[in-house]
Every structure is written in C-alpha cells, then in structure tokens.
Amino acid sequence: MDYKKRFYVIAALLGIYVCFIWFKSFQTVIVDGPKYRAKVEKLKVDSIPIPQLRGFIFADGNELLAGSLPEYDVFFDFKSTTIADSKGKMNIPQDTIAYYFSDNGPGAKALHEIDPSRSVAEYARIVRNAYAQRTSRLHILHAVPYLEYKKLRTKMPYLSKPKYQNGLISEERAHRYRPYGETRMGASTIGSVYAKKDKNGISGRGKGGIEEAMDSILRGKPGLGFKQVIRRHQTNITVEQPVNGANVHTTINVEMQDILDRALCKRILELRAHAGWAAIIECKTGKIKAISNLERISDTECAEDHNHLFEDLVDPGSTFKTVSYMLLLEDGKITPETKVNTGNYTHARGEFIYHGQHIRDDHPVGEVTADEAMVQSSNISIAKLTTQAYEKNPQEYLDGIERIGFLNDRALSDSDRAEIKQVGYLRHLEFRKEFPKAQAARHRQMTGRSWSKVSLAQISYGYETQIPGIYILQFYNAIANDGKMMRPYIVDYIEKDGEVIWEQEPTVINPKICSDKTLKDVRHALEGVVEHGTAAGSAWLPGAKSKKLKIAGKTGTAQRFNQVTKTYSGAGHNVSFAGYFPAENPEYCGIVVIDARPGGNFGRPGGGYMAGPVFKSFAEQIWALKCNKTLTDITPDTINPMAPKVKKGPLFTKEVLSKLDLDTVKWEPIELTNASLNKIPDVKGMGAADALFKLESLGLRVNIVGKGAVASMSVAPGTSCKRGDYITLTLK
C-alpha cells in the first residue's frame, strides 16, 4: 500500500473516532443529561460540611483568652432502632426501656445528673413516651460539655452501648469558651462568636472585638464530606479535610488586666456610677496591656459593655487643655510664666464672656501663670490664652492639632489632610483593623457650617470636639514617650501550627509632636496636676497622688450631651484622668473615664477624686509587679519590726537565722538523730520535711494531710511503736 492510501485510511479512522466522540457527548448531555443531573443534585443534598476548629486567642504570656471546646446536643432515635429483625428481635427491647427509664431508673438518673432542670421522673416519662411513639429525634439534652458527654456515655451501662442498641445519637459543635469570664476581663475587646449557622451549615462567625476583626484568620475553612449507606448503616465519607484557623496572640497581660478590671469595678460600685472604661499601654511600643469597658448592672456587680474606649464619641473636657497648652508653647505664643487673670477670686467670682459665651471655672483661681492654670485646670485661663493667640487666624490652631497628630491613628498623607479639611475626620481608620467599630476623632473645621465665633474658645478646653478615649491615651503616651507618638495596638502576632506567620511592628504616627523644651514644660505641668493640683486629692477626698511612685497626668470633667434636649444639661458628666508612670522615666500610660450620670453616690463631679484613685490603684499594683528590690534595698520598719515565724526545726536553723541577722528570733530547736527507738517523738510545730525525717528514721509509715506545720498527730507522743507502724500528721 502506497503512502497516499495509508493517509486516506488514517483520515477515515480519525473521522469515525471524532463522530463517535460527538455521539457520546450528545448522548451524555441531551439523552442521559437528566439522569446525571439528578445524581449531581443528590450528591449536593447528601454532601455535608465538616466543621473546622476555630483558632485560639492568647494573652502575652500564652494564657488562653478564647478557645473552642466541643459540646453536644443529645437525641434519642427510637424509630430505626426498634424495627424487629427476621427473628422478631429488636435492638432495644421494651423491657430494657422499662427498667432503665422507670420513674427512678438509672438511665433517667444519668440524664438528671447532666441537666437537673428536669426531675428524674420527668426524664423517665419523656423517654418512655418517645419509645412508645417510635419518635425518631427526641432532643433530650442541649449543649452538653465534652466531659459531661463522655461521662454520660461511659458511666451508664445502657447508654454506653452502640447507638443502634440504645438509640442515643449526638451532634457535636464547637463552643467558644473564655476561661476568664464571659462578662469581664476584656470580654468586649475579645469579642464573641455567632452560634447561628451560616448558609453552608457552619457556625462560628466572629461577633465584635478581635473575634470579628480577625475572623478570616481565626475561622479557617470547613471540609467537605458526604453521607453513604454501607451495610444498612449511614457513614460519613470525607472528601476534603477541614483547615483549622490560625491562633491570634495579643498584647494583653492577664495580671494587668485583672488589676485594672478590679480597680475600675470597685470605683464604679463605690460611686454608683453608670459605667466606666480604662486602658493601659506600654509607652515605647503602644502595646495595649489591659483594657476594661464596664457597666454597673447591680449594686455589687459590673459587666463588660461595648468598647467605649474606641467607639464612644464624647467631649474630652479638660484633658484636651494639654493640647492647647502644648500648641501655645510650641508656637511661641506664651511661656509657662505668662500671667493670666481669670477674674475669679474667692471674694469675687468672675467669668470670661467671649462673643456672648459665658466661660467659668468651678473653683476660684485668681491671677496665675500659664503653668499653674494647667495645674488648677482653669477653663478661663486656657480659653483666654488661646483666643488671644489665635483669634485672628483660628486655622493656625487647627493646623497645629493636625501637626501633633492628635486626631489621627496613622501618619497623615496629603489626601488625609484634604479629607480632614473637608469632613473634619478620617473615614478610613487603622484602628478598625483590630477594632471593627472604632470611631474616628472629629473636630470642627472653619469651612464647616457648625463653626461659630465661640468655637475656638470652646475647643480649647475640650468642647465642640468628639473624640474617642483612645486618641486621648495615644496623645498622653506621646508625651510620656519623649514626644514620639505610637499607634496603640492589641494583636501582637499570628501563629499557625507553631509557626509565626505574621507579626505586628510598632507604628510611629509622629516621630516628634513638639520640641524638647515644650515637652519639658508640658511634663512639668502634668506632674504639678498630681502633686498639688486637681488630681492631688486631700485629707477627705482621694486622688491620683501616690506615696509609692510618682504619677503625672491631667484630669478632665466634661458635661455629657443630652440626646433628648440636645443640650449639655441634665445628662451628667464624663470625668477622666489620663497620665503615665513613673513620671521620671515613664513605662506605662493609661486613661480612666467614669460615666457619672445623675443619681450616683457623689457630689460635684471631678476627674481627680473619681477617676484618679483608679489610676493610682492600678499604677501602684502594676509597679509592684515589676519591683525587683532585694531585702537589703528595703528600708526596715524600726517602729513595728516584724520577725519571721520559724517552725520547730533542726539545730542548723540557727545558722540560717544568724546569716539573716535574726539571732533574736524565738524558735524551738530539735535534734533529728536523738529519737528514741521505741517511742513516738513529739513533732508538733515542725515542718513536713523535718517531721517526715524524724518519724521515717524510726521506720514508721507516715501519712500527711494538709499544709503548713504539724498541728496534730494520730498517735500521741511517747507511745510505744515498732517499725512499720502507721501514723497520720495533720498540717495547718
């Protein structure tokens, strides 16, 4: 055969092959299409999502803040398990149910132990009725913890049988668990998880806080499986394995969080205040070490509310005066020694009227320097100095606020500045990456309709400005951090299977908010506020001043805006204290705000005596945690010297005491080697180690109960004994 004929044969074969492919395609799509589509739909119906494990949230010391634990809904299926086989035998005979679920049966008792909300007899009646009616899905227990579920399946003979012999079936789901409490210890910052399932049948979307902000990282990806019946039993087949979520490690310190939580709650309850919120951050990095947002829910209890620190738009009040004072100094408008006459004296109460606006001080100040005006928190002084300096060009003052970076959570670009000029705030925030509902700080612009002749004066001492507390904290931290403004953050790093996959670096918003000279003058004023100003306290009122360490900061008292009357009247006050410690070399900066609505246990609201003590309390306790003094560094108490209590012990105890210069301490020496070979020695008052040595050297077998020193002996001292005898020592 020549090449031409071969070519025609091959072409014919290929043509037949192509026609065959077209025919099979037509048959598959058109003729058999409905059958295959039905199979696909059946696969969709039978396919099931396989839940993944949501990632954990940890504190800075790897303590668990939020994690997922399995819990179970428990059902009885008496429909498929009570069908008689060919010999007439049923998997669950009626006499079995009658025994285990009689009115006082062991099966009913086991259910009652797990959930006592129903009586034993009630459980018995419900199960018997379900068996009689051949109920296919009796929901008998809801949200049973893992250990309780295992106890149910292993402790009870009937319930420990396979499900086809007891009818017990369960559905497992992940329960989000916060070991430090569901309503305290930063619960609103951590967030929660929706229990409701999504369209794919998977529950566990983040709701608020870190859970929501980091949801895509924590959530992971569900797997895919389908149900298949093998030998009359339904089996789940896994097609795609689930991908578990990554773990989020935060900057929260559990000890600091507990201290802050307790101090804030204690003060809220003492004052019968509506709520309070506070936070503390590490000066050098901006790491949030503790954050509490508490609301008083009874006379003895507080619970986490929403995240006030990031979400509440409020007038900051006098804590904003520090911004005005810094700008006045930095722009050369005043010096700390600049005099200002408030006109407000003890014998003649005065006020400052600016374009019809009456500006008052709540206590007489008289004529003071600018530094002392800050220390005494004089509204009149700051308003006078600010209006005199910037009245002809208020924009210079507003530009100064932006220059500091006070209203920003990131370094400003030209487009950011244009946005602030247009709307008075930034719409897109860095904070929202970690705090989804964070609000932007807002202040009035000259280009806006709300700007008036009195706006400059009002803003200067903390009104006509809506600022979440985190911006106040961020600003005061910059003062403590030698002028470097850091963005506060709470997510430290993200880890998956032991490997760090992302780590957050500290972010600098402004490397220098003002000159060193200005910073020194501002810090001097803030130290004065605590040492002898509005936060110092007195013999009858507490404050922020501490004898243990030096604190610096500023008080604030601002009227709350009344949403009903649309005025600053009748809604109470927000009182605050923002500061840092130790003042000489700051390590931590914090803020405390108390929501003091009418009806509380306080007189005239004031940030110094209401919020200041909270700051002082956690500053002292946190500083105590870092104390590394030795015994020789601590000044001895010569008035009330305390000698240590020394247990009865061997003679070398004397040598130890002499090394500590405690030769005068009274103690009772014993000799461990002189015990009588046939008499029980007296070991009362000894420590466990010495008592064991003395008794076991005689061959006695010793059982110890309790902790401390030996308080009693089961065999009286002096009793005859022989090797191998038993004796019990009770320690207290």
Side-chain angles (χ1 to χ4, degrees), residues 312-350:
D312 282 13
L313 289 167
V314 296
D315 294 292
S318 295
T319 52
F320 195 85
K321 290 174 183 173
T322 309
V323 179
S324 299
Y325 185 56
M326 179 179 288
L327 291 176
L328 289 164
L329 292 170
E330 186 71 0
D331 291 344
K333 308 292 185 180
I334 62 168
T335 68
E337 293 75 33
T338 298
K339 293 289 185 68
V340 56
N341 190 345
T342 65
N344 186 22
Y345 296 86
T346 305
H347 60 278
R349 301 299 298 272

Side-chain angles (χ1 to χ4, degrees), residues 9-303:
V9 170
I10 293 172
L13 291 174
L14 288 174
I16 294 170
Y17 183 66
V18 169
C19 291
F20 178 76
I21 292 175
W22 277 101
F23 172 75
K24 293 303 292 183
S25 299
F26 176 81
Q27 186 182 36
T28 300
V29 176
I30 305 300
V31 178
D32 297 331
K35 179 177 70 174
Y36 289 121
R37 279 190 285 271
K39 287 185 177 182
V40 170
E41 291 301 319
K42 186 176 185 301
L43 180 62
K44 288 181 180 179
V45 172
D46 291 343
S47 65
I48 55 171
I50 302 174
Q52 74 279 31
L53 181 64
R54 188 174 178 85
F56 288 22
I57 300 175
F58 294 99
D60 67 350
N62 285 328
E63 299 91 347
L64 181 64
L65 295 178
S68 296
L69 295 175
E71 65 179 17
Y72 300 84
D73 281 350
V74 180
F75 304 85
F76 275 117
D77 175 15
F78 291 133
K79 185 174 183 179
S80 61
T81 57
T82 54
I83 300 174
D85 60 16
S86 58
K87 296 181 181 180
K89 181 181 178 181
M90 289 192 298
N91 287 333
I92 308 177
Q94 186 171 356
D95 57 352
T96 300
I97 295 295
Y99 170 72
Y100 284 105
F101 293 99
S102 62
D103 286 347
N104 199 32
K109 285 182 179 179
L111 297 176
H112 175 74
E113 286 181 12
I114 301 296
D115 182 5
S117 63
R118 291 171 175 162
S119 67
V120 176
E122 189 175 0
Y123 276 115
R125 179 180 53 79
I126 292 173
V127 174
R128 290 200 307 267
N129 289 343
Y131 181 84
Q133 297 172 15
R134 301 299 191 259
T135 303
S136 63
R137 193 175 174 82
L138 171 64
H139 195 172
I140 195 69
L141 294 173
H142 174 72
V144 180
Y146 173 78
L147 293 178
E148 293 294 318
Y149 176 72
K150 290 301 179 185
K151 177 182 175 182
L152 181 72
R153 294 302 301 262
T154 58
K155 296 290 184 181
M156 178 64 209
Y158 168 71
L159 297 177
S160 62
K161 295 179 180 181
K163 63 181 180 180
Y164 294 105
Q165 296 179 28
N166 64 10
L168 195 70
I169 58 176
S170 62
E171 291 183 357
E172 178 184 329
R173 63 168 177 269
H175 166 65
R176 204 60 172 170
Y177 172 67
R178 289 198 292 262
Y180 291 101
E182 299 295 319
T183 60
R184 292 288 292 274
M185 291 291 286
S188 64
T189 303
I190 298 169
S192 57
V193 175
Y194 283 107
K196 186 177 179 180
K197 294 183 179 181
D198 61 16
K199 62 182 180 180
N200 296 318
I202 301 296
S203 61
R205 295 275 178 175
K207 178 183 178 183
I210 297 171
E211 294 277 19
E212 181 178 343
M214 301 286 117
D215 184 64
S216 60
I217 294 165
L218 290 164
R219 189 171 67 245
K221 182 182 177 183
L224 180 65
F226 64 90
K227 297 177 181 179
Q228 183 173 346
V229 177
I230 300 176
R231 294 182 180 179
R232 297 177 61 187
H233 296 307
Q234 184 173 280
T235 304
N236 293 337
I237 306 297
T238 300
V239 177
E240 183 180 344
Q241 291 289 347
V243 178
N244 295 330
N247 300 322
V248 173
H249 292 255
T250 72
T251 60
I252 293 292
N253 181 279
V254 169
E255 284 184 305
M256 293 185 182
Q257 181 66 49
D258 184 50
I259 290 169
L260 180 61
D261 225 39
R262 291 175 184 274
L264 181 61
C265 182
K266 180 175 179 289
R267 195 59 178 151
I268 291 173
L269 296 177
E270 288 172 347
L271 298 170
R272 288 185 56 81
H274 176 73
W277 49 98
I280 182 170
I281 63 177
E282 196 174 72
C283 290
K284 301 299 181 186
T285 62
K287 291 182 177 180
I288 299 174
K289 307 306 293 183
I291 176 171
S292 290
N293 296 273
L294 300 179
E295 181 181 9
R296 181 172 61 88
I297 58 176
S298 72
D299 290 340
T300 59
E301 189 177 359
C302 294

Side-chain angles (χ1 to χ4, degrees), residues 255-495:
E255 284 184 305
M256 293 185 182
Q257 181 66 49
D258 184 50
I259 290 169
L260 180 61
D261 225 39
R262 291 175 184 274
L264 181 61
C265 182
K266 180 175 179 289
R267 195 59 178 151
I268 291 173
L269 296 177
E270 288 172 347
L271 298 170
R272 288 185 56 81
H274 176 73
W277 49 98
I280 182 170
I281 63 177
E282 196 174 72
C283 290
K284 301 299 181 186
T285 62
K287 291 182 177 180
I288 299 174
K289 307 306 293 183
I291 176 171
S292 290
N293 296 273
L294 300 179
E295 181 181 9
R296 181 172 61 88
I297 58 176
S298 72
D299 290 340
T300 59
E301 189 177 359
C302 294
E304 280 272 336
D305 195 8
H306 66 276
N307 200 328
H308 296 271
L309 192 74
F310 282 85
E311 298 173 18
D312 282 13
L313 289 167
V314 296
D315 294 292
S318 295
T319 52
F320 195 85
K321 290 174 183 173
T322 309
V323 179
S324 299
Y325 185 56
M326 179 179 288
L327 291 176
L328 289 164
L329 292 170
E330 186 71 0
D331 291 344
K333 308 292 185 180
I334 62 168
T335 68
E337 293 75 33
T338 298
K339 293 289 185 68
V340 56
N341 190 345
T342 65
N344 186 22
Y345 296 86
T346 305
H347 60 278
R349 301 299 298 272
E351 57 186 18
F352 174 43
I353 301 176
Y354 184 71
H355 292 291
Q357 178 72 33
H358 293 253
I359 301 173
R360 304 178 179 88
D361 287 331
D362 63 359
H363 58 284
V365 177
E367 185 178 20
V368 291
T369 64
D371 179 84
E372 191 63 19
M374 280 290 295
V375 170
Q376 297 302 325
S377 195
S378 170
N379 297 337
I380 294 174
S381 298
I382 297 300
K384 271 191 173 183
L385 292 171
T386 303
T387 53
Q388 289 169 5
Y390 298 105
E391 187 174 35
K392 294 182 179 179
N393 185 14
Q395 190 60 48
E396 182 184 1
Y397 175 78
L398 299 178
D399 290 343
I401 296 174
E402 290 180 20
R403 183 178 70 240
I404 289 173
F406 179 81
L407 300 172
N408 313 312
D409 66 340
R410 64 173 182 266
L412 287 179
S413 64
D414 291 339
S415 61
D416 291 334
R417 291 188 176 90
E419 184 174 12
I420 290 176
K421 289 289 190 302
Q422 180 184 1
V423 297
Y425 61 94
L426 291 172
R427 284 169 289 200
H428 301 287
L429 302 180
E430 293 289 317
F431 281 144
R432 288 185 185 143
K433 292 179 180 178
E434 298 174 287
F435 303 91
K437 298 179 182 178
Q439 295 295 314
R442 308 177 184 195
H443 70 129
R444 296 186 177 179
Q445 295 291 316
M446 292 185 66
T447 54
R449 295 180 181 179
S450 59
W451 185 268
S452 69
K453 292 180 179 180
V454 301
S455 291
L456 178 62
Q458 290 280 82
I459 292 172
S460 71
Y461 62 96
Y463 285 93
E464 294 198 16
T465 311
Q466 299 290 293
I467 303 174
I470 190 62
Y471 289 91
I472 302 288
L473 177 57
Q474 179 178 267
F475 170 67
Y476 278 85
N477 187 67
I479 296 172
N481 194 30
D482 296 326
K484 182 185 288 188
M485 182 174 284
M486 311 299 296
R487 180 176 66 81
Y489 67 97
I490 199 168
V491 175
D492 197 9
Y493 64 94
I494 297 168
E495 162 261 320

Side-chain angles (χ1 to χ4, degrees), residues 501-543:
I501 58 177
W502 180 84
E503 188 170 5
Q504 183 156 208
E505 295 293 334
T507 301
V508 179
I509 294 174
N510 188 349
K512 200 70 175 175
I513 61 173
C514 64
S515 66
D516 290 338
K517 175 64 171 63
T518 297
L519 189 65
K520 181 180 178 181
D521 291 338
V522 170
R523 289 177 69 161
H524 179 270
L526 297 182
E527 290 173 20
V529 170
V530 178
E531 291 301 311
H532 58 273
T534 54
S538 63
W540 59 89
L541 279 180

